[in-house]
Amino acid sequence: MTVLFSYIFLGISLSAPVGPINAAQLDRGARHGFMHAWVLGLGAMFADLVYMLLIYFGVAHFLNTPFMQAFLWSFGSFILIYTGVETLTKLKQNVEGTTTVESKIHHSFITGFLMALSNPLNILFWLGIYGSVLTSAIKHTDMAHLLLYSSGIFIGILIWDVIMAVMASRFHRQNNETILRWISVISGISLIGFGLYFAFEAIRYLFF
């Protein structure tokens, strides 16, 4: 159990650093409530699962080729800048929004999934962390325990996802228009900033 808890803590540690997913969750939860922030994080978690499976089956190394890195930096830049601009342009929109709840939740999931899937830093993180965990664990344990430890990482990610959604939804419940606007402004600028950084990295991979 101690080992399992250490992997759960690893999952929390992987999710906790401030990044585009956390910024988007904070904005989505403040504007639309707990479910939207949680589902956005859930979409990002599914992208993490994709990378974990690619690493597990040994087919993730092609993602480190210059062409794929340039493509992912470029695609990630587009997703982040688009999401950031969309966040800023919706500042005047009512907190409750005008679209249906179902379409919003669906949009939140897709946004989280694409943001995490197109983040090269996410790929390097999983290659470095999970790749080393896999290499180390496979020498000392069987497949069942390896699956259990991998599940522990995702439990940790899910715990942090819920924590972020709860934090963001508190701002939503307060329904303070000034606070919500500032959260949207900060989140939108952060996402655009990450997007511009990704664009710089894409240019660096393509031309230098």
XYZ file of all heavy atoms in Angstrom, residues 111-154:
340
model
N -11.776 20.249 -25.363
C -10.737 21.252 -25.116
C -9.617 20.680 -24.256
O -8.431 20.821 -24.584
C -11.336 22.493 -24.432
O -12.327 23.079 -25.278
C -10.248 23.526 -24.128
N -9.971 20.033 -23.155
C -8.970 19.436 -22.277
C -8.160 18.362 -22.970
O -6.929 18.292 -22.827
N -8.837 17.526 -23.756
C -8.163 16.434 -24.466
C -7.162 16.974 -25.480
O -6.005 16.541 -25.522
C -9.207 15.554 -25.160
C -8.618 14.386 -25.909
C -8.194 13.253 -25.231
C -8.481 14.429 -27.290
C -7.643 12.179 -25.911
C -7.936 13.361 -27.975
C -7.514 12.236 -27.293
N -7.585 17.942 -26.289
C -6.695 18.488 -27.327
C -5.538 19.273 -26.734
O -4.407 19.202 -27.232
C -7.500 19.378 -28.282
C -8.473 18.666 -29.219
C -9.243 19.674 -30.060
C -7.738 17.678 -30.122
N -5.812 20.017 -25.651
C -4.744 20.791 -25.020
C -3.651 19.880 -24.473
O -2.462 20.158 -24.609
C -5.320 21.662 -23.901
C -6.085 22.874 -24.395
S -6.852 23.811 -23.064
C -5.387 24.437 -22.232
N -4.047 18.791 -23.839
C -3.061 17.863 -23.274
C -2.390 17.025 -24.362
O -1.191 16.756 -24.300
C -3.730 16.946 -22.247
N -3.165 16.630 -25.371
C -2.622 15.774 -26.425
C -1.600 16.518 -27.283
O -0.651 15.913 -27.782
C -3.764 15.268 -27.317
C -3.410 14.132 -28.280
C -3.166 12.841 -27.509
C -4.527 13.923 -29.302
N -1.795 17.839 -27.444
C -0.911 18.612 -28.331
C 0.194 19.335 -27.569
O 0.878 20.181 -28.127
C -1.743 19.644 -29.111
O -2.370 20.558 -28.224
N 0.370 18.990 -26.302
C 1.388 19.644 -25.479
C 2.676 18.814 -25.476
O 2.742 17.772 -24.814
C 0.861 19.806 -24.050
C 1.802 20.609 -23.174
O 2.941 20.876 -23.541
N 1.337 20.993 -22.000
N 3.709 19.251 -26.202
C 4.960 18.479 -26.241
C 5.601 18.324 -24.863
O 6.278 17.331 -24.606
C 5.849 19.303 -27.178
C 4.904 20.097 -28.005
C 3.767 20.415 -27.082
N 5.401 19.316 -23.986
C 5.942 19.195 -22.632
C 5.300 18.028 -21.906
O 5.940 17.342 -21.100
C 5.712 20.497 -21.854
C 6.413 21.745 -22.398
C 6.031 22.965 -21.558
C 7.919 21.548 -22.399
N 4.029 17.807 -22.196
C 3.311 16.671 -21.622
C 3.925 15.353 -22.095
O 4.106 14.416 -21.320
C 1.834 16.746 -22.030
C 0.926 16.030 -21.050
O 1.240 15.907 -19.874
N -0.206 15.569 -21.532
N 4.252 15.309 -23.382
C 4.866 14.105 -23.950
C 6.210 13.830 -23.290
O 6.505 12.702 -22.868
C 5.066 14.274 -25.472
C 3.717 14.526 -26.154
C 5.748 13.058 -26.074
C 3.848 15.050 -27.559
N 7.049 14.868 -23.197
C 8.372 14.705 -22.589
C 8.253 14.307 -21.124
O 9.046 13.517 -20.615
C 9.171 16.007 -22.724
C 9.519 16.435 -24.153
C 10.208 17.794 -24.146
C 10.412 15.386 -24.814
N 7.242 14.856 -20.454
C 6.999 14.528 -19.059
C 6.713 13.045 -18.900
O 7.285 12.366 -18.041
C 5.829 15.375 -18.553
C 6.071 15.949 -17.184
C 7.233 16.635 -16.904
C 5.121 15.808 -16.181
C 7.459 17.185 -15.651
C 5.332 16.350 -14.925
C 6.496 17.041 -14.661
N 5.813 12.535 -19.749
C 5.439 11.126 -19.649
C 6.573 10.212 -20.097
O 6.775 9.143 -19.511
C 4.170 10.858 -20.463
C 2.944 11.290 -19.731
C 2.178 12.385 -19.984
C 2.368 10.652 -18.593
N 1.166 12.471 -19.072
C 1.248 11.431 -18.206
C 2.676 9.517 -17.855
C 0.438 11.086 -17.127
C 1.877 9.173 -16.770
C 0.774 9.953 -16.419
N 7.300 10.617 -21.134
C 8.448 9.813 -21.564
C 9.485 9.726 -20.466
O 10.051 8.659 -20.197
C 9.075 10.408 -22.825
C 8.381 10.110 -24.157
C 9.009 10.924 -25.267
C 8.438 8.629 -24.475
N 9.739 10.877 -19.819
C 10.761 10.909 -18.773
C 10.315 10.232 -17.497
O 11.025 9.373 -16.949
N 9.122 10.580 -16.998
C 8.656 10.073 -15.706
C 8.133 8.652 -15.816
O 8.647 7.731 -15.165
C 7.552 10.992 -15.124
C 8.074 12.420 -14.954
C 7.055 10.432 -13.799
C 9.211 12.554 -13.988
N 7.098 8.461 -16.657
C 6.497 7.126 -16.738
C 7.446 6.137 -17.401
O 7.467 4.958 -17.052
C 5.173 7.184 -17.494
C 4.442 5.859 -17.475
C 3.942 5.343 -16.284
C 4.266 5.122 -18.641
C 3.285 4.132 -16.254
C 3.605 3.909 -18.624
C 3.114 3.419 -17.428
O 2.472 2.208 -17.398
N 8.236 6.635 -18.366
C 9.209 5.747 -19.006
C 10.198 5.183 -18.006
O 10.497 3.985 -18.006
N 10.692 6.035 -17.107
C 11.643 5.568 -16.092
C 10.954 4.689 -15.055
O 11.536 3.700 -14.585
C 12.309 6.764 -15.402
O 11.354 7.570 -14.753
N 9.711 5.037 -14.703
C 8.944 4.212 -13.763
C 8.731 2.826 -14.347
O 8.898 1.802 -13.661
C 7.575 4.872 -13.444
C 6.644 3.881 -12.737
C 7.773 6.097 -12.566
N 8.368 2.777 -15.612
C 8.125 1.502 -16.293
C 9.389 0.665 -16.350
O 9.377 -0.534 -16.056
C 7.594 1.783 -17.700
C 7.035 0.602 -18.490
C 5.760 0.090 -17.844
C 6.757 1.014 -19.934
N 10.481 1.313 -16.712
C 11.758 0.587 -16.813
C 12.191 0.025 -15.465
O 12.664 -1.108 -15.369
C 12.854 1.531 -17.346
O 12.445 2.056 -18.615
C 14.166 0.787 -17.510
N 12.021 0.825 -14.423
C 12.424 0.396 -13.087
C 11.505 -0.675 -12.522
O 11.959 -1.687 -11.990
C 12.447 1.604 -12.140
O 12.738 1.206 -10.831
N 10.189 -0.454 -12.668
C 9.222 -1.370 -12.046
C 9.193 -2.722 -12.715
O 9.009 -3.747 -12.053
C 7.832 -0.735 -12.072
N 9.386 -2.743 -14.028
C 9.265 -4.004 -14.763
C 10.380 -4.990 -14.388
O 10.252 -6.194 -14.585
C 9.247 -3.726 -16.282
C 8.507 -4.842 -17.007
C 10.665 -3.555 -16.823
C 8.154 -4.498 -18.430
N 11.471 -4.467 -13.818
C 12.577 -5.324 -13.398
C 12.312 -5.980 -12.047
O 12.922 -6.992 -11.715
C 13.870 -4.507 -13.303
C 14.362 -3.970 -14.640
C 15.618 -3.136 -14.435
C 16.122 -2.564 -15.747
N 17.318 -1.699 -15.548
N 11.403 -5.374 -11.239
C 11.235 -5.833 -9.871
C 9.838 -6.331 -9.534
O 9.585 -6.738 -8.412
C 11.595 -4.702 -8.892
C 12.970 -4.149 -9.094
N 13.197 -2.983 -9.813
C 14.190 -4.596 -8.698
C 14.498 -2.740 -9.840
N 15.124 -3.705 -9.171
N 8.929 -6.292 -10.507
C 7.560 -6.684 -10.187
C 6.903 -7.337 -11.389
O 7.436 -7.307 -12.501
C 6.740 -5.457 -9.738
O 5.474 -5.889 -9.249
C 6.523 -4.490 -10.885
N 5.696 -7.925 -11.152
C 4.977 -8.572 -12.251
C 4.015 -7.589 -12.920
O 3.871 -6.449 -12.506
C 4.217 -9.809 -11.743
C 3.287 -9.470 -10.574
O 2.790 -8.331 -10.517
O 3.073 -10.355 -9.720
N 3.331 -8.094 -13.958
C 2.465 -7.239 -14.754
C 1.281 -6.702 -13.954
O 0.848 -5.557 -14.147
C 1.959 -8.021 -15.973
C 1.348 -7.157 -17.055
S 2.522 -5.968 -17.744
C 3.717 -7.065 -18.499
N 0.740 -7.509 -13.046
C -0.414 -7.081 -12.245
C -0.057 -5.887 -11.366
O -0.822 -4.920 -11.258
C -0.910 -8.244 -11.387
N 1.125 -5.939 -10.727
C 1.550 -4.830 -9.871
C 1.876 -3.590 -10.713
O 1.621 -2.454 -10.279
C 2.776 -5.232 -9.040
C 2.434 -6.086 -7.865
N 2.288 -7.451 -7.959
C 2.195 -5.763 -6.560
C 1.980 -7.937 -6.770
N 1.917 -6.938 -5.899
N 2.428 -3.819 -11.897
C 2.732 -2.699 -12.781
C 1.446 -1.962 -13.175
O 1.403 -0.728 -13.193
C 3.452 -3.197 -14.033
C 3.970 -2.132 -14.998
C 4.952 -1.204 -14.317
C 4.612 -2.797 -16.209
N 0.393 -2.732 -13.452
C -0.901 -2.145 -13.780
C -1.462 -1.390 -12.583
O -2.032 -0.299 -12.734
C -1.877 -3.244 -14.218
C -3.287 -2.790 -14.619
C -3.219 -1.843 -15.812
C -4.158 -3.996 -14.947
N -1.269 -1.951 -11.386
C -1.750 -1.303 -10.165
C -1.032 0.026 -9.941
O -1.668 1.037 -9.611
C -1.525 -2.234 -8.970
C -1.975 -1.707 -7.609
C -3.489 -1.523 -7.567
C -1.525 -2.655 -6.493
N 0.274 0.035 -10.135
C 1.050 1.262 -9.939
C 0.675 2.325 -10.973
O 0.591 3.521 -10.657
C 2.547 0.965 -10.004
C 3.032 0.011 -8.950
C 4.162 -0.781 -9.149
C 2.347 -0.130 -7.742
C 4.612 -1.660 -8.169
C 2.786 -1.013 -6.761
C 3.913 -1.784 -6.988
O 4.333 -2.658 -6.013
N 0.442 1.892 -12.222
C 0.016 2.822 -13.264
C -1.349 3.417 -12.914
O -1.595 4.611 -13.128
C -0.065 2.110 -14.617
O 1.202 1.602 -14.991
N -2.232 2.577 -12.358
C -3.542 3.062 -11.924
C -3.390 4.077 -10.802
O -4.159 5.049 -10.719
C -4.417 1.894 -11.451
O -4.606 0.952 -12.480
N -2.390 3.864 -9.928
C -2.129 4.802 -8.838
C -1.802 6.194 -9.365
O -2.259 7.201 -8.808
N -1.018 6.263 -10.445
C -0.687 7.556 -11.050
C -1.962 8.264 -11.510
O -2.152 9.455 -11.271
C 0.280 7.369 -12.232
C 1.637 6.845 -11.733
C 0.470 8.685 -12.986
C 2.621 6.523 -12.838
N -2.870 7.501 -12.129
C -4.095 8.107 -12.618
C -5.061 8.474 -11.495
O -5.821 9.437 -11.621
C -4.779 7.181 -13.628
C -4.316 7.432 -15.028
C -3.226 6.744 -15.536
C -4.927 8.379 -15.820
C -2.768 6.991 -16.814
C -4.483 8.638 -17.094
C -3.406 7.949 -17.598
